[in-house]
Amino acid sequence: MPLNRRTFLGRSAATSAGVALAGASASAAAAETRGHQGPSGRQKRYAFTVMGTTDLHGNVFNWDYFTDAEFDDAAHNDVGLAKISTLVDQVRAEKGRRNTLLIDAGDTIQGTQLSYYYAKVDPITGSGGPVHPMARAMNAIGYDAAALGNHEFNYGIPVLRKFEEQCDFPLLGANALDAKTLRPAFAPYWMTRLRTPFGRDVKVAVLGLTNPGIAIWDKANVQGKMTFPGLEEQAAKWVPRLRSMGADVVIVSAHSGTSGTSSYGDQVPYVENAAALVAEKVAGIDAILVGHAHVEIPESRVVNKETGREVVLSEPLKWGQRLTLFDIEVAWERGRWQVASVSAKVLNSNAVEEDPRIVRLLDAEHKKVVGYVNQVIGSCSAAMTAAEAPYKDAPIIDFINHVQSETVKAALAGTAYADLPVLSQASCFSRTAAIPAGEVTIRQVAGLYPFENTLEARVLTGAQLKEYLEFSARYYVQTPAGGDVDPAKLTNASGTPDYNYDAVGGLTYEIDIAKAPGSRIVGLSFDGKPIDEKAQFVLAVNNYRASGGGNFPHVASAKQVWANSEEIRNTIIAWVQAKGTIDVSRFGSVDWKLTREGVRPPHS
């Protein structure tokens, strides 16, 4: 049986699933094994492939539950494990099943309404509850191991533990430690043997590393229960151990990007996107499957400073859009297997059809969730869309701020903070989000907020709010006055994602994009008057931002006066159900706009 949390402390990882391969007959193993002699006719060589996915985010099918249609984007990418399964089968057929491994780098059980449904609506933790669709699909495909992602903790540790129990493969997290004992809370690694034609098995170890930001982003779920030290620190501890246990090849599956940056500033002393730093500083690693950053890196090579050897990194695109292949060749030298070469590439899942086996396996769950998200819960007085929300004050973002402000005002009634003005922040999470005029369904409202963020309230001063807005306005590319503006080239400066641009409802202001970042907010007003820098305001803010996500100034250290554990998405859904009608005239107003030296740009 695979190494898992329950067996890790009791026995050596060398007795994990791969050991079973040694019991196969020599003839069967030879028929499915690749090996060859070197140019001298004497050197033994063996090649195998490690396949990898990451940031699957609850995608089993090539389906968008928010649009109720097949997934599509401008690049015509496809998503989902059903597509990945077809690619995996093709690789196994080409390479030989016993010459392949399949791993994942985290963020598995959050992101779609399918995964939400089985965490919250019909939870896997219920008495006699269902098996999570991601566990069923990944078990059927035959995953060998998966690293923990930060979003694994969004629904709380009980849901994660139940998911872990339902998986036929271990969830790895060498830097996810029990807060009291500081021992691994999950299996740190998985080790297996690959049989070669030469009577000498290759021992392959997979070390799992997750993101230190969990301590911030999911503080409510993990504080006092688990702690998350840095990736470099834990890799430096475990890689030598794996080598001493006889690992010939060490693969790291890291839910951490390559940029070396952190979105949470100095709130925790560990780097968020540390994969390249691990490759550079920790000796003994052959390849790293990268996750978390949602970017495509077919192959990247980092030179380890201690050994001078190259470490190969690869990050397949999110949601099952790509499958990474690490092709590894080992040679028998000086009485052991030595890594001779490593290369990486990605396969595009849009080149294949969904695996009908996976479709049949989870068709009932899929149909159940489609029915759920298409329930009508109210109506809307006018159509709203997020298409222009990144560069215009759009009613659809005003709506989020309106609901959040009302929710916080009601929560603070009768408290010492009841008389403070309540403002709200919101971001454009999806440019395709839309609410139609007329009947409104769960999926349309849920599409405004695809993340499981919760709501809280923090107290900031007028001066702090201005700095907050200045930081947010870095999102725009500095654009000189005069001439037209192409909206497609106006946003996402320095790679800032849409979800790290906040519009603050309840204030009036202009953003002068002709000016340098840090000096763009003009005419900041509250209630028709210039904002009082010393005045106090309550900001309704999501827990990601309040916990330091995006590294916005002041909010993470600001006094928290209220918080709850209800997802904002559900708060909005409940608001619509209670009111019955979304009256756009109540909140749809232009309170901020872009200017260039005081003049509003054309097309903005």
Side-chain angles (χ1 to χ4, degrees):
M1 61 184 291
L3 176 69
N4 56 38
R5 177 177 59 88
R6 292 173 296 281
T7 59
F8 164 68
L9 295 176
R11 61 186 178 88
S12 167
T15 61
S16 60
V19 174
L21 298 180
S25 70
S27 59
E32 202 181 24
T33 302
R34 292 171 295 154
H36 62 269
Q37 294 180 328
S40 67
R42 293 187 301 273
Q43 190 179 46
K44 301 169 184 176
R45 287 179 175 261
Y46 169 71
F48 65 98
T49 298
V50 178
M51 298 175 282
T53 54
T54 191
D55 296 279
L56 293 168
H57 283 289
N59 285 280
V60 173
F61 301 103
N62 188 43
W63 191 260
D64 186 338
Y65 292 95
F66 296 133
T67 63
D68 199 28
E70 191 171 292
F71 176 87
D72 195 24
D73 62 12
H76 302 297
N77 289 302
D78 287 346
V79 301
L81 278 169
K83 292 265 184 172
I84 290 296
S85 182
T86 302
L87 290 175
V88 167
D89 284 348
Q90 290 180 354
V91 174
R92 286 171 173 164
E94 176 190 350
K95 311 285 188 179
R97 172 72 182 248
R98 295 183 181 182
N99 304 312
T100 65
L101 298 173
L102 176 59
I103 62 176
D104 183 79
D107 275 6
T108 303
I109 60 171
Q110 174 276 335
T112 64
Q113 286 293 283
L114 180 71
S115 55
Y116 175 81
Y117 187 89
Y118 288 99
K120 290 291 189 178
V121 182
D122 185 11
I124 61 175
T125 50
S127 177
V131 177
H132 199 289
M134 294 301 287
R136 295 189 69 194
M138 294 174 81
N139 289 342
I141 295 168
Y143 273 78
D144 292 296
L148 294 163
N150 54 285
H151 283 288
E152 259 65 83
F153 295 84
N154 285 172
Y155 297 117
I157 292 174
V159 169
L160 175 54
R161 287 300 192 194
K162 188 64 177 181
F163 174 70
E164 178 191 27
E165 179 184 310
Q166 293 176 343
C167 290
D168 293 339
F169 52 91
L171 302 183
L172 308 178
N175 61 328
L177 309 181
D178 181 278
K180 294 180 180 177
T181 67
L182 298 183
R183 298 183 70 184
F186 296 84
Y189 65 91
W190 175 78
M191 189 179 289
T192 191
R193 295 176 181 266
L194 298 178
R195 191 166 187 181
T196 77
F198 309 111
R200 303 278 188 172
D201 295 346
V202 174
K203 293 181 71 174
V204 181
V206 178
L207 178 68
L209 296 169
T210 193
N211 206 288
I214 295 166
I216 297 174
W217 303 321
D218 270 298
K219 182 178 180 180
N221 291 327
V222 302
Q223 188 173 34
K225 299 173 184 177
M226 293 186 191
T227 184
F228 302 89
L231 283 83
E232 299 165 62
E233 168 191 322
Q234 293 301 303
K237 173 182 176 180
W238 283 102
V239 171
R241 291 190 185 185
L242 297 176
R243 290 293 184 182
S244 70
M245 292 166 61
D248 301 302
V249 181
V250 174
I251 311 294
V252 172
S253 184
H255 194 75
S256 180
T258 62
S259 66
T261 61
S262 300
S263 68
Y264 42 71
D266 59 359
Q267 290 189 81
V268 294
Y270 309 115
V271 177
E272 176 183 350
N273 295 298
L277 295 173
V278 171
E280 181 182 283
K281 295 182 179 181
V282 180
I285 298 170
D286 298 300
I288 300 179
L289 177 65
V290 178
H292 184 61
H294 290 201
V295 298
E296 182 177 340
I297 305 174
E299 181 185 82
S300 175
R301 293 177 179 267
V302 175
V303 176
N304 182 267
K305 287 186 174 181
E306 181 179 335
T307 66
R309 293 176 61 90
E310 287 186 331
V311 182
V312 176
L313 291 76
S314 180
E315 181 174 5
L317 200 57
K318 64 186 184 300
W319 305 344
Q321 296 179 57
R322 303 289 187 273
L323 175 70
T324 278
L325 303 187
F326 290 106
D327 288 315
I328 301 171
E329 187 173 43
V330 294
W332 186 259
E333 297 176 359
R334 296 184 297 277
R336 64 168 299 172
W337 290 111
Q338 306 278 354
V339 173
S341 67
V342 182
S343 63
K345 63 181 180 181
V346 295
L347 302 181
N348 194 329
S349 65
N350 71 6
V352 297
E353 298 298 319
E354 291 185 327
D355 184 342
R357 180 173 62 103
I358 303 301
V359 173
R360 289 193 300 269
L361 181 69
L362 290 165
D363 184 59
E365 287 88 341
H366 170 68
K367 288 178 178 176
K368 184 182 292 186
V369 174
V370 168
Y372 162 75
V373 299
N374 280 290
Q375 294 178 44
V376 174
I377 56 171
S379 64
C380 188
S381 64
M384 300 186 292
T385 174
E388 297 180 324
Y391 53 90
K392 282 187 177 180
D393 187 350
I396 201 165
I397 305 300
D398 293 340
F399 173 54
I400 297 173
N401 278 328
H402 178 69
V403 173
Q404 291 182 163
S405 295
E406 280 201 350
T407 301
V408 170
K409 285 176 183 176
L412 294 180
T415 73
Y417 302 94
D419 293 333
L420 291 182
V422 177
L423 312 175
S424 176
Q425 62 80 222
S427 304
C428 177
F429 293 119
S430 170
R431 298 191 185 200
T432 60
I435 301 289
E439 290 186 340
V440 176
T441 64
I442 285 177
R443 70 171 175 84
Q444 290 160 339
V445 176
L448 300 181
Y449 228 108
F451 296 107
E452 269 68 38
N453 294 341
T454 58
L455 188 63
E456 56 183 85
R458 301 276 179 133
V459 176
L460 282 82
T461 66
Q464 289 174 330
L465 285 164
K466 185 175 188 299
E467 291 182 33
Y468 186 100
L469 288 170
E470 289 284 10
F471 184 89
S472 183
R474 301 180 314 154
Y475 171 74
Y476 295 107
V477 175
Q478 189 169 1
T479 308
D484 288 346
V485 172
D486 181 359
K489 299 178 180 178
L490 185 61
T491 62
N492 306 103
S494 301
T496 303
D498 291 348
Y499 62 77
N500 273 342
Y501 170 67
D502 288 356
V504 175
L507 297 175
T508 303
Y509 55 96
E510 296 179 0
I511 303 174
D512 192 333
I513 58 175
K515 295 182 178 180
S519 58
R520 291 178 166 178
I521 302 301
V522 179
L524 180 61
S525 302
F526 171 73
D527 201 20
K529 300 176 182 178
I531 197 166
D532 181 347
E533 291 190 349
K534 295 181 180 180
Q536 290 190 321
F537 299 83
V538 173
L539 181 67
V541 59
N542 69 53
N543 68 305
Y544 172 78
R545 186 73 75 237
S547 296
N551 202 25
F552 277 60
H554 305 303
V555 65
S557 59
K559 183 177 180 59
Q560 182 194 81
V561 294
W562 176 81
N564 76 351
S565 59
E566 176 85 354
E567 286 94 346
I568 293 171
R569 172 169 58 209
N570 285 343
T571 298
I572 300 173
I573 290 171
W575 188 96
V576 175
Q577 289 173 318
K579 302 290 185 182
T581 301
I582 303 171
D583 184 356
V584 178
S585 66
R586 289 190 59 197
F587 53 79
S589 60
V590 178
D591 298 313
W592 66 268
K593 61 184 179 181
L594 303 183
T595 62
R596 291 182 297 173
E597 296 181 3
V599 179
R600 190 167 185 173
H603 310 305
S604 69

PDB file of all heavy atoms in Angstrom, residues 38-54:
ATOM      1  N   GLY A  38      25.594   1.530 -23.155  1.00  0.00           N
ATOM      2  CA  GLY A  38      26.223   2.738 -23.668  1.00  0.00           C
ATOM      3  C   GLY A  38      27.097   2.435 -24.865  1.00  0.00           C
ATOM      4  O   GLY A  38      27.180   1.292 -25.334  1.00  0.00           O
ATOM      5  N   PRO A  39      27.783   3.461 -25.400  1.00  0.00           N
ATOM      6  CA  PRO A  39      28.604   3.307 -26.590  1.00  0.00           C
ATOM      7  C   PRO A  39      29.666   2.233 -26.420  1.00  0.00           C
ATOM      8  O   PRO A  39      30.072   1.579 -27.378  1.00  0.00           O
ATOM      9  CB  PRO A  39      29.231   4.692 -26.757  1.00  0.00           C
ATOM     10  CG  PRO A  39      28.296   5.617 -26.045  1.00  0.00           C
ATOM     11  CD  PRO A  39      27.741   4.836 -24.912  1.00  0.00           C
ATOM     12  N   SER A  40      30.169   2.021 -25.225  1.00  0.00           N
ATOM     13  CA  SER A  40      31.216   1.031 -25.006  1.00  0.00           C
ATOM     14  C   SER A  40      30.668  -0.383 -25.017  1.00  0.00           C
ATOM     15  O   SER A  40      31.416  -1.346 -25.037  1.00  0.00           O
ATOM     16  CB  SER A  40      31.900   1.293 -23.656  1.00  0.00           C
ATOM     17  OG  SER A  40      30.978   1.051 -22.605  1.00  0.00           O
ATOM     18  N   GLY A  41      29.356  -0.499 -25.017  1.00  0.00           N
ATOM     19  CA  GLY A  41      28.747  -1.815 -24.944  1.00  0.00           C
ATOM     20  C   GLY A  41      28.687  -2.365 -23.540  1.00  0.00           C
ATOM     21  O   GLY A  41      28.228  -3.475 -23.326  1.00  0.00           O
ATOM     22  N   ARG A  42      29.161  -1.626 -22.559  1.00  0.00           N
ATOM     23  CA  ARG A  42      29.205  -2.124 -21.190  1.00  0.00           C
ATOM     24  C   ARG A  42      28.318  -1.330 -20.235  1.00  0.00           C
ATOM     25  O   ARG A  42      27.794  -1.889 -19.297  1.00  0.00           O
ATOM     26  CB  ARG A  42      30.647  -2.126 -20.672  1.00  0.00           C
ATOM     27  CG  ARG A  42      31.551  -3.124 -21.372  1.00  0.00           C
ATOM     28  CD  ARG A  42      32.913  -3.197 -20.697  1.00  0.00           C
ATOM     29  NE  ARG A  42      33.592  -1.908 -20.690  1.00  0.00           N
ATOM     30  CZ  ARG A  42      34.363  -1.492 -21.698  1.00  0.00           C
ATOM     31  NH1 ARG A  42      34.527  -2.243 -22.768  1.00  0.00           N
ATOM     32  NH2 ARG A  42      34.981  -0.330 -21.626  1.00  0.00           N
ATOM     33  N   GLN A  43      28.176  -0.030 -20.456  1.00  0.00           N
ATOM     34  CA  GLN A  43      27.450   0.784 -19.479  1.00  0.00           C
ATOM     35  C   GLN A  43      25.952   0.499 -19.512  1.00  0.00           C
ATOM     36  O   GLN A  43      25.338   0.435 -20.572  1.00  0.00           O
ATOM     37  CB  GLN A  43      27.686   2.273 -19.724  1.00  0.00           C
ATOM     38  CG  GLN A  43      27.148   3.135 -18.596  1.00  0.00           C
ATOM     39  CD  GLN A  43      27.387   4.609 -18.814  1.00  0.00           C
ATOM     40  OE1 GLN A  43      27.141   5.115 -19.898  1.00  0.00           O
ATOM     41  NE2 GLN A  43      27.879   5.289 -17.796  1.00  0.00           N
ATOM     42  N   LYS A  44      25.388   0.326 -18.336  1.00  0.00           N
ATOM     43  CA  LYS A  44      23.958   0.073 -18.214  1.00  0.00           C
ATOM     44  C   LYS A  44      23.230   1.412 -18.074  1.00  0.00           C
ATOM     45  O   LYS A  44      23.613   2.245 -17.255  1.00  0.00           O
ATOM     46  CB  LYS A  44      23.700  -0.792 -16.992  1.00  0.00           C
ATOM     47  CG  LYS A  44      24.406  -2.143 -17.024  1.00  0.00           C
ATOM     48  CD  LYS A  44      24.315  -2.832 -15.679  1.00  0.00           C
ATOM     49  CE  LYS A  44      25.101  -4.133 -15.670  1.00  0.00           C
ATOM     50  NZ  LYS A  44      25.092  -4.775 -14.330  1.00  0.00           N
ATOM     51  N   ARG A  45      22.204   1.589 -18.849  1.00  0.00           N
ATOM     52  CA  ARG A  45      21.396   2.812 -18.793  1.00  0.00           C
ATOM     53  C   ARG A  45      19.918   2.447 -18.752  1.00  0.00           C
ATOM     54  O   ARG A  45      19.498   1.452 -19.337  1.00  0.00           O
ATOM     55  CB  ARG A  45      21.683   3.718 -19.989  1.00  0.00           C
ATOM     56  CG  ARG A  45      23.031   4.422 -19.906  1.00  0.00           C
ATOM     57  CD  ARG A  45      23.283   5.295 -21.131  1.00  0.00           C
ATOM     58  NE  ARG A  45      24.521   6.053 -20.982  1.00  0.00           N
ATOM     59  CZ  ARG A  45      24.587   7.324 -20.601  1.00  0.00           C
ATOM     60  NH1 ARG A  45      23.463   7.980 -20.335  1.00  0.00           N
ATOM     61  NH2 ARG A  45      25.738   7.938 -20.478  1.00  0.00           N
ATOM     62  N   TYR A  46      19.165   3.292 -18.066  1.00  0.00           N
ATOM     63  CA  TYR A  46      17.728   3.066 -17.944  1.00  0.00           C
ATOM     64  C   TYR A  46      17.024   4.419 -17.988  1.00  0.00           C
ATOM     65  O   TYR A  46      17.506   5.394 -17.405  1.00  0.00           O
ATOM     66  CB  TYR A  46      17.416   2.339 -16.632  1.00  0.00           C
ATOM     67  CG  TYR A  46      15.951   2.290 -16.281  1.00  0.00           C
ATOM     68  CD1 TYR A  46      15.066   1.484 -17.002  1.00  0.00           C
ATOM     69  CD2 TYR A  46      15.434   3.043 -15.222  1.00  0.00           C
ATOM     70  CE1 TYR A  46      13.719   1.430 -16.683  1.00  0.00           C
ATOM     71  CE2 TYR A  46      14.093   2.996 -14.888  1.00  0.00           C
ATOM     72  CZ  TYR A  46      13.236   2.188 -15.626  1.00  0.00           C
ATOM     73  OH  TYR A  46      11.900   2.138 -15.311  1.00  0.00           O
ATOM     74  N   ALA A  47      15.902   4.490 -18.665  1.00  0.00           N
ATOM     75  CA  ALA A  47      15.158   5.746 -18.803  1.00  0.00           C
ATOM     76  C   ALA A  47      13.734   5.573 -18.290  1.00  0.00           C
ATOM     77  O   ALA A  47      13.109   4.522 -18.471  1.00  0.00           O
ATOM     78  CB  ALA A  47      15.128   6.193 -20.262  1.00  0.00           C
ATOM     79  N   PHE A  48      13.243   6.581 -17.636  1.00  0.00           N
ATOM     80  CA  PHE A  48      11.850   6.575 -17.172  1.00  0.00           C
ATOM     81  C   PHE A  48      11.299   7.989 -17.223  1.00  0.00           C
ATOM     82  O   PHE A  48      12.034   8.956 -17.426  1.00  0.00           O
ATOM     83  CB  PHE A  48      11.736   5.978 -15.765  1.00  0.00           C
ATOM     84  CG  PHE A  48      12.419   6.779 -14.682  1.00  0.00           C
ATOM     85  CD1 PHE A  48      11.689   7.654 -13.878  1.00  0.00           C
ATOM     86  CD2 PHE A  48      13.780   6.642 -14.451  1.00  0.00           C
ATOM     87  CE1 PHE A  48      12.313   8.384 -12.876  1.00  0.00           C
ATOM     88  CE2 PHE A  48      14.413   7.364 -13.445  1.00  0.00           C
ATOM     89  CZ  PHE A  48      13.679   8.238 -12.662  1.00  0.00           C
ATOM     90  N   THR A  49       9.998   8.114 -17.038  1.00  0.00           N
ATOM     91  CA  THR A  49       9.316   9.403 -17.164  1.00  0.00           C
ATOM     92  C   THR A  49       8.454   9.676 -15.938  1.00  0.00           C
ATOM     93  O   THR A  49       7.693   8.799 -15.509  1.00  0.00           O
ATOM     94  CB  THR A  49       8.424   9.426 -18.426  1.00  0.00           C
ATOM     95  OG1 THR A  49       9.252   9.265 -19.585  1.00  0.00           O
ATOM     96  CG2 THR A  49       7.654  10.732 -18.543  1.00  0.00           C
ATOM     97  N   VAL A  50       8.585  10.863 -15.394  1.00  0.00           N
ATOM     98  CA  VAL A  50       7.724  11.319 -14.298  1.00  0.00           C
ATOM     99  C   VAL A  50       6.760  12.356 -14.875  1.00  0.00           C
ATOM    100  O   VAL A  50       7.183  13.397 -15.376  1.00  0.00           O
ATOM    101  CB  VAL A  50       8.541  11.933 -13.148  1.00  0.00           C
ATOM    102  CG1 VAL A  50       7.604  12.440 -12.040  1.00  0.00           C
ATOM    103  CG2 VAL A  50       9.523  10.917 -12.584  1.00  0.00           C
ATOM    104  N   MET A  51       5.482  12.037 -14.824  1.00  0.00           N
ATOM    105  CA  MET A  51       4.450  12.964 -15.293  1.00  0.00           C
ATOM    106  C   MET A  51       3.949  13.810 -14.128  1.00  0.00           C
ATOM    107  O   MET A  51       3.915  13.335 -12.990  1.00  0.00           O
ATOM    108  CB  MET A  51       3.287  12.192 -15.915  1.00  0.00           C
ATOM    109  CG  MET A  51       3.670  11.367 -17.130  1.00  0.00           C
ATOM    110  SD  MET A  51       2.294  10.353 -17.739  1.00  0.00           S
ATOM    111  CE  MET A  51       2.323   8.994 -16.559  1.00  0.00           C
ATOM    112  N   GLY A  52       3.546  15.044 -14.414  1.00  0.00           N
ATOM    113  CA  GLY A  52       3.104  15.922 -13.331  1.00  0.00           C
ATOM    114  C   GLY A  52       2.006  16.881 -13.730  1.00  0.00           C
ATOM    115  O   GLY A  52       1.988  17.400 -14.850  1.00  0.00           O
ATOM    116  N   THR A  53       1.104  17.106 -12.798  1.00  0.00           N
ATOM    117  CA  THR A  53       0.075  18.145 -12.931  1.00  0.00           C
ATOM    118  C   THR A  53       0.181  19.058 -11.723  1.00  0.00           C
ATOM    119  O   THR A  53       0.842  18.754 -10.742  1.00  0.00           O
ATOM    120  CB  THR A  53      -1.335  17.534 -12.973  1.00  0.00           C
ATOM    121  OG1 THR A  53      -1.529  16.690 -11.820  1.00  0.00           O
ATOM    122  CG2 THR A  53      -1.544  16.716 -14.235  1.00  0.00           C
ATOM    123  N   THR A  54      -0.511  20.182 -11.783  1.00  0.00           N
ATOM    124  CA  THR A  54      -0.582  21.067 -10.620  1.00  0.00           C
ATOM    125  C   THR A  54      -1.776  21.990 -10.745  1.00  0.00           C
ATOM    126  O   THR A  54      -2.313  22.204 -11.846  1.00  0.00           O
ATOM    127  CB  THR A  54       0.700  21.899 -10.461  1.00  0.00           C
ATOM    128  OG1 THR A  54       0.675  22.537  -9.174  1.00  0.00           O
ATOM    129  CG2 THR A  54       0.825  22.967 -11.534  1.00  0.00           C
TER     130      THR A  54
END
